[in-house]
Amino acid sequence: SFFLFVAQLLSSSMSAVMLRAIGRSAAAAIPARQAPRVVAPSSLPALPALGGVLHRPMSSEVPKEDLMKEALIAALEPTDVLVEDVSGGCGSMYKIEVESPLFRGVNLVKQHRMVTDTLKKEIGEMHGLTINTRRSPE
């Protein structure tokens, strides 16, 4: 029953008040507390939704923001560039600001297109993006 399930989730050191709330029959069915089982990471099951393996980022991996910034620097020769994850760290939304001399004489729509063309692959993996562009002062 539901009460038995809840009782098993709670530890065997419950207070008498909690036991009365669950019910005496369910509380009597709680097994004695056992030592926690330690599971080695290699014995964890693979998650099919994640391609069959758990992904643990390596400390040597370059943050996505840095990769995008390097691509923008190589393509647009900016005098100022900012790539910021505004999603709280999950990498689904970014704010990008670019100031480049290549934007002189180019309208705003084409400036943004230059940025999106540079980051086409990365943008395909995002849920949201804010782009601000401006021409470098002469």
Side-chain angles (χ1 to χ4, degrees):
S1 82
F2 173 76
F3 291 116
L4 180 60
F5 173 74
V6 171
Q8 288 175 343
L9 287 177
L10 300 172
S11 90
S12 62
S13 61
M14 288 186 226
S15 68
V17 174
M18 293 175 80
L19 290 175
R20 272 187 245 120
I22 293 173
R24 293 186 191 280
S25 62
I30 299 173
R33 186 175 182 129
Q34 298 175 1
R37 190 177 81 159
V38 178
V39 178
S42 61
S43 66
L44 291 174
L47 299 177
L50 297 175
V53 294
L54 293 173
H55 176 72
R56 291 184 181 96
M58 305 292 281
S59 60
S60 64
E61 287 186 22
V62 178
K64 191 178 248 186
E65 295 96 321
D66 291 345
L67 294 174
M68 289 190 287
K69 189 173 183 176
E70 289 173 9
L72 290 167
I73 290 170
L76 303 176
E77 305 167 10
T79 53
D80 188 30
V81 63
L82 167 77
V83 178
E84 181 181 358
D85 181 353
V86 294
S87 63
C90 73
S92 63
M93 295 184 66
Y94 288 90
K95 172 183 173 183
I96 297 175
E97 295 182 7
V98 182
E99 178 180 287
S100 173
L102 299 179
F103 294 153
R104 287 190 195 125
V106 177
N107 69 39
L108 186 63
V109 172
K110 288 183 182 178
Q111 292 175 20
H112 285 211
R113 172 119 345 127
M114 292 167 73
V115 172
T116 58
D117 286 346
T118 301
L119 302 175
K120 186 172 279 228
K121 178 182 170 249
E122 293 85 352
I123 290 172
E125 300 169 358
M126 295 179 196
H127 293 282
L129 175 64
T130 301
I131 299 174
N132 291 310
T133 57
R134 58 191 174 276
R135 285 167 268 157
S136 296
E138 292 184 32

